[in-house]
Amino acid sequence: GTFTHNGGTLTISGTGGVDTGATTLNGGTWTNITTAATLTHDGLTITSGTYQKGTATLAVQGGLIMDGGDLTSTSGAVTVDTSVNI
């Protein structure tokens, strides 16, 4: 499956995780991603907006494409299994 976020704010908190298929951020903000959360995407495309990773672990099990927008991180691991296109 796929997950597309077209605006607004998505807040993730707690100690669990988010595991999505191919994910696209088309505006808006993913924010407050702190604590021990793990974010896993089968691919991540950011065309606009801000993905504020915070201290969470980010695992991209596919490619990372940034065609605009921002990816910010306070700390925590980031892994991308295949290609990075910025």
Side-chain angles (χ1 to χ4, degrees), residues 1 17 24 28 31 37 44 49 64 77 79 81:
T24 301
T31 188
L44 178 59
L64 169 64
T79 58
D81 288 352

Side-chain angles (χ1 to χ4, degrees), residues 48-82:
S48 64
T50 302
Y51 191 116
Q52 297 174 347
K53 186 188 82 57
T55 59
T57 297
L58 173 62
V60 181
Q61 298 172 339
L64 169 64
I65 298 170
M66 292 190 67
D67 188 23
D70 298 297
L71 173 62
T72 64
S73 176
T74 305
S75 64
V78 175
T79 58
V80 179
D81 288 352
T82 60

Side-chain angles (χ1 to χ4, degrees), residues 1-3 10-11 20 27 30 45 48 51 57 76 80 83:
T2 61
F3 178 79
L10 176 64
T11 301
T20 66
W30 282 39
T45 301
S48 64
Y51 191 116
T57 297
V80 179
S83 61

Side-chain angles (χ1 to χ4, degrees), residues 12 14-19 33-41 51 56-59:
I12 301 168
T15 58
V18 173
D19 190 346
I33 306 170
T34 57
T35 69
T38 300
L39 310 165
T40 304
H41 306 294
Y51 191 116
T57 297
L58 173 62

